[in-house]
């Protein structure tokens, strides 16, 4: 079974939602048969790469709230993260463009290190003092190497804005086609969707339901023609001469 998760590194609920989903997945009896794929979704796709500002400033300007309201929201998110065992800085974080991070995540997927990288990017953005937005490509390269990726290969991806750009945009178009207007957005076997950082119990229910309702393969009726020749574990059927 495949679970696809549309998310953005700048999304705090994606950070919390990933932890809640993983709690449910860890207790799922068929967890070893579940493939998790992370898909791209930018919350602020129009922001220029060098346009970085404090999170509180972004919240007040984008949503028209007061600084006190914005800070209260950050404090609430910090408490939600702590309940999932996650570190979360409620003061001093910044906000910027995440497109290069998404490009790197597609590269990491090819190398089998996607989940490692996204978790490191989340930690760096939400829990560490150093910014993932103001230190340039070297900061992203450093984090990618920590995830097990080759430094020179990572720098080559970052140096070429076209690398994996189409893959990011394809993910975003697909999210729109599936009806996702926000993240995190979880899609189970392209049959069930879960929107938002739901409690672990909701993910447990969704995993169980999706697993239980998987459709067995239906073979086309073969009529009077008999079984077609095929190969199996015991060898290949050889037609006998009449």
């Amino acid at each position: 079974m495949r679970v696809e998760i549309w998310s953005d590194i700048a999304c705090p609920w994606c950070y919390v939602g990933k932890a809640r989903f993983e709690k449910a997945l860890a207790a799922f009896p068929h967890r070893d048969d579940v493939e998790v794929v992370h898909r791209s979704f930018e919350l602020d796709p129009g922001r220029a790469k060098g346009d970085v500002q404090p999170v509180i400033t972004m919240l007040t300007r984008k949503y028209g709230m007061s600084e006190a309201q914005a800070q209260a929201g950050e404090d609430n998110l910090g408490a939600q993260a702590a309940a999932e065992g996650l570190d979360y800085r409620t003061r001093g974080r910044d906000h910027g463009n995440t497109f290069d991070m998404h490009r790197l995540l597609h590269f990491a997927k090819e190398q089998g290190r996607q989940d490692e990288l996204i978790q490191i990017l989340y930690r760096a953005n939400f829990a560490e003092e150093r910014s993932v937005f103001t230190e340039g490509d070297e900061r992203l390269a450093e984090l990618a190497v920590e995830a097990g990726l080759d430094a020179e290969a990572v720098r080559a991806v970052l140096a070429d804005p076209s690398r994996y750009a189409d893959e990011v945009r394809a993910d975003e178009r697909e999210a729109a086609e599936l009806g996702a207007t926000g993240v995190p957005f979880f899609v189970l076997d392209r049959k069930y969707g879960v929107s938002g950082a739901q409690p672990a119990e909701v993910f447990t229910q969704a995993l169980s339901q999706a697993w239980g309702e998987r459709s067995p393969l239906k073979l086309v009726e073969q009529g009077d023609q008999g079984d077609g020749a095929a190969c199996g574990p015991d060898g290949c059927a050889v037609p006998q001469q009449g």
Side-chain angles (χ1 to χ4, degrees):
M1 183 168 72
R2 170 179 280 200
V3 177
E4 296 162 278
I5 307 174
W6 272 263
S7 58
D8 190 9
I9 300 303
C11 165
W13 286 117
C14 296
Y15 179 47
V16 173
K18 182 176 186 290
R20 292 175 176 173
F21 169 76
E22 287 176 346
K23 184 181 293 183
L25 183 61
F28 186 55
H30 309 287
R31 60 186 176 275
D32 292 339
D33 296 311
V34 177
E35 177 192 12
V36 178
V37 178
H38 298 282
R39 301 291 192 191
S40 299
F41 190 106
E42 294 172 279
L43 290 175
D44 204 353
R47 182 176 291 271
K49 182 175 180 178
D51 183 5
V52 181
Q53 63 184 164
V55 166
I56 297 300
T57 302
M58 180 274 294
L59 291 172
T60 58
R61 292 179 179 176
K62 188 171 184 178
Y63 300 107
M65 58 178 67
S66 68
E67 286 192 11
Q69 289 172 321
Q71 190 58 65
E74 281 293 285
D75 290 340
N76 175 57
L77 278 162
Q80 298 274 355
E84 303 302 331
L86 301 172
D87 292 328
Y88 189 100
R89 294 178 65 231
T90 60
R91 303 288 191 280
R93 290 196 307 107
D94 57 14
H95 176 80
N97 180 286
T98 58
F99 188 65
D100 283 346
M101 299 180 206
H102 286 294
R103 293 197 300 114
L104 278 182
L105 284 166
H106 277 278
F107 170 66
K109 180 177 181 292
E110 290 184 351
Q111 309 302 313
R113 309 298 294 178
Q114 189 185 45
D115 193 69
E116 289 83 357
L117 179 58
I118 197 170
Q119 191 60 37
I120 286 171
L121 291 173
Y122 277 142
R123 184 205 69 206
N125 185 42
F126 292 108
E128 297 182 357
E129 290 189 14
R130 292 177 63 191
S131 172
V132 296
F133 300 109
T134 61
E135 295 190 27
D137 291 351
E138 277 307 304
R139 174 63 169 150
L140 293 183
E142 174 188 315
L143 295 169
V145 168
E146 185 180 341
L149 298 171
D150 177 75
E152 291 307 312
V154 167
R155 291 188 182 98
V157 171
L158 290 170
D160 182 355
S162 68
R163 294 278 300 275
Y164 302 99
D166 289 344
E167 288 82 348
V168 174
R169 297 307 183 209
D171 277 359
E172 294 174 336
R173 286 194 301 271
E174 198 162 15
E177 291 167 1
L178 290 169
T181 57
V183 285
F185 189 71
F186 301 78
V187 176
L188 292 79
D189 259 1
R190 289 300 173 105
K191 189 174 183 180
Y192 294 97
V194 177
S195 181
Q198 300 289 345
E201 294 77 14
V202 174
F203 291 118
T204 297
Q205 178 183 351
L207 286 166
S208 298
Q209 187 169 348
W211 183 269
E213 295 187 15
R214 290 177 305 146
S215 299
L217 187 68
K218 294 183 178 180
L219 295 176
V220 175
E221 293 295 335
Q222 299 180 46
D224 298 329
Q225 303 303 313
D227 292 336
C231 295
D234 297 324
C236 298
V238 179
Q240 300 298 313
Q241 296 294 327

